Amino acid sequence: MKIEVNHITMIYPSGKKALQDVSLRAESPSFIGILGPNGAGKTTLMKLLIAGLLPTRGNILLDEKNLLSQEKYLKSQLGYLPQSFGLYDELTVWQFLDYMAALKNLRDANAVNEVLVRTNMTEQKKTRIRNLSGGQRQRVGIAQALLGNPQLIILDEPTVGLDPEERVKFRNIFSEMAQDKIILLSTHIVEDVQAVCNRVLVIHDGLILFDGAPPKLIAQAQNHVGVCLAQTGDAVPDGCQIVSKVHTADGIRSRIVAEHLPPYAQLCEPTLEDAYLYCIHRPENRKNPGEEQKAK
C-alpha cells in the first residue's frame, strides 16, 4: 500500500487554517509517529486520510489513485481509532465488536475472538461496556481498529488511559503489526514514538517541521540541551524551554532546551522529547510562511 499527500491545505469554514501546503509519502511497511501540540493539525491530517474531510486544496492518492474515488476500498483496508470515540454502553464487548465486524463486512468467524485475545479482553467479552473501566474501554477501541487485519491503521492517542504495563504491551502489538502495514500513531507520549516508530513527523501550526527517522531529529538537538541548577524564585533564562524540574537539597535542577544555552548549563545528550521541543521552538520554525515571503 502507498499513500501520497500532495500539497494539502485545509481551511475550516471559520477561517482557521489547520494545514498549510502539507506533503508526505508513505508505503508499507512503515510506522510513523506524529508529534505536535494541541491544535497543530494532527487530527485534521488523520481525518483527511480517512476521507472524513475534504481538503481545501491539494489531493491524496491511495495506491496512485485519488482517495475520494475509492472510498469503499479505503474502508475495507482501514483500521481507525479517533481520539474521541463512542461505544454502545448497553452492548457487551463481544456484541459491540461483532457489530463493528459486520459494518466492515468481515466474514471471518474468528475475527472478533482474535482481537479480544490481542487486546487482553477475552475475560471481559460478556461484560457490558458501561461496566468497563476507562482503560478497558480504550482497549475495546483499539480492538475495533484491529478488526480484519487492516493494511492502513490510524491511531489518535491510542494509549490514553492505559497503565504503563498496558502501554508497553500495545506498543509491541502495533510494532509487530507494522511489519507489513502502514501505521500512523498520533500521541503526546513521546516515549511511545521513540520506542516503536521508524519515522516521525513533527507538526506545528499546520506545517510539517520535520519528517524523518527519530535519530535524525535527536541529532538536530545536539548541543542545545543542558542541565542547570537554580534557586527557588530564579527566572528561567529567555529563550529556554524547561523539559523537567527536580527539587534537590542544593536547589532546583532543571533540564532545558534552547537555541543558545546559558554558559553555566551543563550539556547533556538529547532525548526525542528534548529534540521535539527544540524543533517546535526553534526561531526559524516559529516564522509564518507569509512573513518569510515578504522578507524575501
Side-chain angles (χ1 to χ4, degrees), residues 2 24 29 53 56 61 64 66 71 80 82 97 127 133 149 151 153 157 189 194 230 244 264 276 280 286 294 296:
K2 181 167 66 174
L24 64 94
L53 289 173
T56 306
L61 303 181
E64 301 184 351
N66 193 290
E71 196 169 338
Y80 176 50
L97 292 174
T127 303
S133 68
N149 195 29
Q151 295 303 298
I153 301 177
E157 299 288 352
I189 305 173
Q194 186 162 11
S244 63
Y264 51 83
Y276 160 66
I280 65 173
R286 304 291 290 183
K294 290 178 184 178
K296 292 177 182 179

Side-chain angles (χ1 to χ4, degrees), residues 225-264:
V225 182
V227 173
C228 59
L229 193 67
Q231 300 301 313
T232 303
D234 287 354
V236 178
D238 289 341
C240 293
Q241 303 297 321
I242 296 178
V243 180
S244 63
K245 285 184 176 182
V246 178
H247 289 264
T248 70
D250 297 322
I252 301 172
R253 187 176 178 84
S254 299
R255 186 180 183 93
I256 59 175
V257 174
E259 183 69 24
H260 302 289
L261 292 171
Y264 51 83

Side-chain angles (χ1 to χ4, degrees), residues 98-109:
D98 185 54
Y99 170 68
M100 296 302 295
L103 290 181
K104 291 187 174 186
N105 200 28
L106 295 178
R107 304 185 186 280
D108 183 356

Side-chain angles (χ1 to χ4, degrees), residues 127-144:
T127 303
R128 295 197 185 277
I129 288 174
R130 64 168 171 262
N131 295 324
L132 298 177
S133 68
Q136 289 171 337
R137 292 172 71 93
Q138 191 71 13
R139 280 191 268 162
V140 173
I142 294 172
Q144 64 79 28

